[in-house]
Amino acid sequence: MEEKKEASREKVIGSLGWSFAERILAQLVSTVVGIVLARVLSPDDYGIVSVVMIFITVCNVFVTSGFGTAIVQKKEVDKRDFDTAFILSFAMSIVLYGGLFFGAPAIAAFYNMPQLIPVIRVLGVRIVLTSLNNIQQAHIQREMRFKSYFYATIIGTVLSCGVGIAMAFSGYGVWALVAQYLTNTTVGSIVMLFVCKWRPGLGFSAEKAKEIYSFGWKVLCTELVYTTDANVRGLLVGKVFGPADLAYYEQGNKYPSLLVSNVNATIQKVMLPTFSRRQDDLNSLKSALRRSIQIGAFLLCPLLVGLAVVSDNFVNVLLTEKWLPAVPYVCIFCMSYMTRPLESACHQALLAIGRSGLVFWIMLAINGIGLLATVIAVFVLKSVLWIAIFSLLTTLVSLICFLVATNRLIGYRLKEQISDIFPTVLISAAMGVAAFLVGCIPGSPLVILVVQILVGAVSYVALACIVKPEPFVYIRNTLLRRK
């Protein structure tokens, strides 16, 4: 039994390692390229693509959410499960792309931006490509073969970034961003065909479709509610305040979001199949849930606190002065994403025990409140900044709801919740103060930024060695044992 548990533990750690490496390397390349493109392209170019991506992101919810998650969550699956999920996903993508293609003139008229029409019709192809990519990811995620996913993501990211930079410097403007998005998804899907054991087939089963639908529709609705709420903000900002303000808002969200994708999304990608395998043992599930939250908070909190503290120098040095209006949004979204390790871990745990309906109703209520707050910020307060502030407040309410739900259904008590994150929050705050004080010193923004990062990193590691929070000890012992 002990050998089996150790083997399982090693598999989880190995999966986390490959998944984390994939996210770190891919996002590092994307971030560097994004900085280059932001310096070359205008806020209006980014604003146009941001408007289009709002519609594509909402469409992708129908294609990706529910079908893939249902496959990962099921105890037993066969090839027909994957084929059925793929056919459902692909058929949905064709319908949605057709709607976007023929609806492009109406969208362009709504925004009074004729240039949106060709961008929507070309970039919308990404929806169809995503339908294939989604089920491939589900297969790899279920088998925890994240090494294969690592190669697919890195190859797609590097090639797409090269295409984007070449086109930007050649003067293609907004089409450089379009080409980058499409190349990334296309190359990633092609590489997946070689590294993934599953191949798309026509083995559709009405019975399998019913099983997938019974679980998946709740996940889909949950994601749709969440995505709609998040993207309504972008729709309203783009329509009422213009593409430039939308670009500042999106850039402010982009870099905190990248950090979350690197750390938290990596952990959750591994944790859903891990949670699902323990769905019949609540004590084991609770232990895995706490470990996920501890590690997520330990890795994510210092990054977000650090980014918020250095945001002005970060934007000034890397993106140039034309993007400085994005600084307040960077700070607000850093605080908002601070809750993500707890919220998303609880979310995944509830899905693992089959409570997708409860998750849906929580998300529906929270995002209904968020939508109302957004409308007030836009039409009453007339402020993009207040949209971001209300988003932060809504996130805090959402966190409380998920913690209450896991308390009642899994027995994850408030005292345990606080003890799991308090040491990390404490040393992250101390690190933030040290980096902030360095930022008060007069000097070159580049030099101050570098010193702030060094002081922040050294002080966080030093404090962790002194305080010895549980996730630090766990990570250290795991790394030493693997050596």
Side-chain angles (χ1 to χ4, degrees):
M1 181 63 72
E2 285 298 322
E3 291 181 0
K4 186 176 180 181
K5 287 178 66 176
E6 183 64 22
S8 176
R9 182 174 177 276
E10 287 295 317
K11 187 174 183 180
V12 171
I13 295 298
S15 297
L16 277 171
W18 278 108
S19 186
F20 190 62
E22 172 260 322
R23 286 284 70 190
I24 284 291
L25 190 53
Q27 293 298 348
L28 178 61
V29 174
S30 296
T31 300
V32 172
V33 173
I35 290 170
V36 173
L37 293 178
R39 297 175 70 94
V40 176
L41 303 176
S42 70
D44 283 341
D45 289 330
Y46 271 91
I48 291 171
V49 171
S50 294
V51 170
V52 176
M53 284 304 298
I54 288 170
F55 292 94
I56 292 178
T57 300
V58 173
C59 289
N60 276 341
V61 172
F62 291 93
V63 175
T64 62
S65 298
F67 302 122
T69 305
I71 291 295
V72 176
Q73 192 270 346
K74 284 189 69 175
K75 284 186 177 181
E76 301 291 337
V77 295
D78 54 28
K79 187 177 187 302
R80 183 156 291 193
D81 284 293
F82 286 99
D83 289 347
T84 300
F86 167 70
I87 291 171
L88 291 172
S89 181
F90 183 75
M92 182 69 73
S93 72
I94 295 296
V95 172
L96 292 169
Y97 176 66
L100 268 187
F101 186 93
F102 293 108
I107 296 172
F110 176 77
Y111 283 98
N112 194 27
M113 297 167 62
Q115 62 269 44
L116 286 179
I117 297 176
V119 176
I120 289 174
R121 288 175 171 173
V122 175
L123 193 52
V125 175
R126 195 168 188 241
I127 299 171
V128 180
L129 296 172
T130 300
S131 66
L132 172 61
N133 193 284
N134 173 52
I135 306 304
Q136 291 172 324
Q137 289 185 43
H139 189 278
I140 287 176
Q141 185 177 356
R142 182 175 179 85
E143 295 191 347
M144 302 184 77
R145 295 176 56 244
F146 292 100
K147 184 177 180 179
S148 300
Y149 190 59
F150 170 85
Y151 292 119
T153 301
I154 297 308
I155 293 173
T157 300
V158 171
L159 289 179
S160 66
C161 289
V163 170
I165 289 178
M167 292 186 66
F169 279 101
S170 298
Y172 283 93
V174 68
W175 291 103
L177 296 171
V178 174
Q180 182 186 2
Y181 278 118
L182 279 180
T183 303
N184 196 349
T185 307
T186 302
V187 173
S189 297
I190 292 173
V191 175
M192 283 272 212
L193 287 174
F194 291 95
V195 300
C196 181
K197 296 179 180 179
W198 170 78
R199 297 289 183 275
L202 300 178
F204 183 82
S205 166
E207 181 181 351
K208 299 287 187 182
K210 184 177 180 180
E211 292 175 2
I212 292 171
Y213 173 79
S214 64
F215 178 86
W217 78 267
K218 300 168 188 175
V219 177
L220 188 152
C221 289
T222 300
E223 291 298 320
L224 182 62
V225 168
Y226 176 79
T227 304
T228 300
D229 172 60
N231 286 281
V232 160
R233 299 186 184 104
L235 286 171
L236 291 175
V237 171
K239 172 62 178 176
V240 177
F241 300 96
D245 280 316
L246 175 59
Y248 296 136
Y249 179 88
E250 293 291 343
Q251 283 290 91
N253 179 49
K254 177 181 179 179
Y255 295 100
S257 178
L258 283 175
L259 293 178
V260 173
S261 297
N262 285 332
V263 179
N264 192 60
T266 296
I267 294 171
Q268 299 314 317
K269 190 187 298 181
V270 177
M271 284 299 107
L272 177 57
T274 302
F275 289 164
S276 297
R277 290 167 185 168
R278 304 182 184 191
Q279 57 187 278
D280 296 325
D281 184 351
L282 288 185
N283 288 329
S284 179
L285 174 60
K286 175 183 171 182
S287 177
L289 170 62
R290 295 188 65 180
R291 185 69 69 197
S292 174
I293 288 174
Q294 290 169 349
I295 295 175
F298 182 77
L299 296 175
L300 191 57
C301 279
L303 295 176
L304 290 172
V305 170
L307 179 58
V309 170
V310 306
S311 58
D312 52 348
N313 287 323
F314 174 85
V315 172
N316 190 15
V317 171
L318 299 180
L319 304 182
T320 70
E321 291 184 358
K322 66 183 178 183
W323 289 103
L324 283 176
V327 170
Y329 303 114
V330 174
C331 296
I332 293 172
F333 282 113
C334 280
M335 290 186 287
S336 180
Y337 284 122
M338 205 86 69
T339 66
R340 193 57 58 88
L342 286 82
E343 182 181 353
S344 55
C346 293
H347 184 158
Q348 297 295 321
L350 293 174
L351 289 180
I353 61 174
R355 299 304 296 266
S356 56
L358 175 61
V359 172
F360 166 69
W361 288 112
I362 291 175
M363 296 300 294
L364 182 63
I366 294 303
N367 289 287
I369 295 171
L371 179 59
L372 177 61
T374 299
V375 171
I376 293 172
V378 172
F379 297 106
V380 178
L381 300 176
K382 300 183 190 290
S383 168
V384 181
L385 189 63
W386 271 104
I387 296 177
I389 293 172
F390 281 142
S391 174
L392 168 61
L393 297 176
T394 303
T395 300
L396 295 175
V397 175
S398 177
L399 173 64
I400 293 171
C401 291
F402 276 107
L403 290 177
V404 169
T406 51
N407 180 10
R408 293 183 177 180
L409 297 174
I410 302 177
Y412 186 29
R413 307 300 179 193
L414 177 62
K415 182 178 179 180
E416 295 169 322
Q417 295 164 7
I418 294 174
S419 67
D420 285 341
I421 64 170
F422 181 74
T424 292
V425 172
L426 184 64
I427 61 177
S428 296
M431 177 216 69
V433 171
F436 175 79
L437 293 176
V438 171
C440 296
I441 301 172
S444 165
L446 175 58
V447 174
I448 296 300
L449 176 63
V450 172
V451 176
Q452 282 182 300
I453 293 173
L454 291 175
V455 168
V458 171
S459 61
Y460 187 73
V461 173
L463 288 169
C465 292
I466 296 170
V467 178
K468 290 185 174 59
E470 189 171 341
F472 170 75
V473 175
Y474 177 81
I475 293 172
R476 182 192 62 187
N477 291 345
T478 301
L479 293 175
L480 291 175
R481 185 160 42 244
R482 289 178 68 84
K483 289 180 180 180

